[in-house]
């Protein structure tokens, strides 16, 4: 019960204080993209694995995956992504993983991330990352179980 109340409080805090970032609250797309269909706000998804931090990609090195355009900081990272895009694309379409655990599609901030079990996840706010990190297995299971039911819904409808 206490965890449910904490999760509900986090959901209210996240949605009430959401800054005007690049995502479209009316879009039913399963991948969080800008109006130009750019994923991860132009950050290189492979860099999270190779250098352990967010790195901006270049328009010069781009690839499309599941309707989203990913950008890379090098030709090598582009080649790695093309060889196995599912390995590098963020979980839950790049929406906040804690939001997914709460049944919401919140904008993901590429500077707030975790790599767990070889998969990239992004979070909306430091509190979302902290809350998720308090119970990675439990919150991960919730996010994974709720994602199929919310992935094709508009954030405003959740």
């Amino acid at each position: 019960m206490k965890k449910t109340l904490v999760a509900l409080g986090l959901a209210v805090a996240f949605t009430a204080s959401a800054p005007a970032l690049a995502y479209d609250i009316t879009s039913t797309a399963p991948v969080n993209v800008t109006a130009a269909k750019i994923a991860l706000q132009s950050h290189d998804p492979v860099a999270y694995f190779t250098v352990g931090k967010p790195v901006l990609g270049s328009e010069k090195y781009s690839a499309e995956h599941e309707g989203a355009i990913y950008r890379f900081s090098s030709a090598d990272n582009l080649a790695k992504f093309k060889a196995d895009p599912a390995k590098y694309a963020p979980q839950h379409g790049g929406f906040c993983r804690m939001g997914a655990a709460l049944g919401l599609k919140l904008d993901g901030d590429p500077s707030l991330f975790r790599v767990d079990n070889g998969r990239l996840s992004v979070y909306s706010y430091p509190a979302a990352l902290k809350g998720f990190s308090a119970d990675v297995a439990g919150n991960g299971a919730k996010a994974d179980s709720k994602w199929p039911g919310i992935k094709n819904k508009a954030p405003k409808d959740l």
Side-chain angles (χ1 to χ4, degrees):
M1 179 69 165
K2 185 177 179 183
K3 284 184 182 181
T4 302
L5 291 175
V6 170
L8 198 53
L10 286 172
V12 170
F14 296 151
T15 55
S17 62
L21 294 176
Y23 96 130
D24 179 358
I25 64 167
T26 64
S27 172
T28 59
V31 180
N32 187 7
V33 295
T34 67
K37 304 227 181 272
I38 306 297
L40 286 173
Q41 298 174 18
S42 290
H43 287 79
D44 178 341
V46 177
Y48 291 94
F49 298 88
T50 58
V51 296
K53 65 181 184 179
V55 174
L56 281 173
S58 167
E59 190 174 345
K60 179 179 176 181
Y61 307 112
S62 299
E64 187 173 336
H65 176 65
E66 295 183 340
I69 299 167
Y70 290 89
R71 293 191 171 156
F72 305 89
S73 56
S74 69
D76 186 49
N77 283 5
L78 172 60
K80 286 178 182 177
F81 184 85
K82 284 183 172 182
D84 192 359
K87 176 180 179 177
Y88 297 107
Q91 294 187 83
H92 307 109
F95 290 97
C96 176
R97 193 162 188 219
M98 186 67 198
L102 301 171
L104 302 169
K105 284 171 74 177
L106 304 175
D107 196 15
D109 179 342
S111 70
L112 299 170
F113 71 97
R114 290 181 59 100
V115 175
D116 293 308
N117 300 319
R119 296 295 318 272
L120 172 64
S121 298
V122 294
Y123 299 86
S124 293
Y125 302 94
L129 176 56
K130 183 177 179 182
F132 189 90
S133 299
D135 182 10
V136 174
N139 289 321
K142 287 177 192 172
D144 293 346
S145 70
K146 290 185 180 182
W147 182 245
I150 66 172
K151 77 177 191 176
N152 293 312
K153 292 186 178 179
K156 72 173 186 62
D157 295 332
L158 299 172

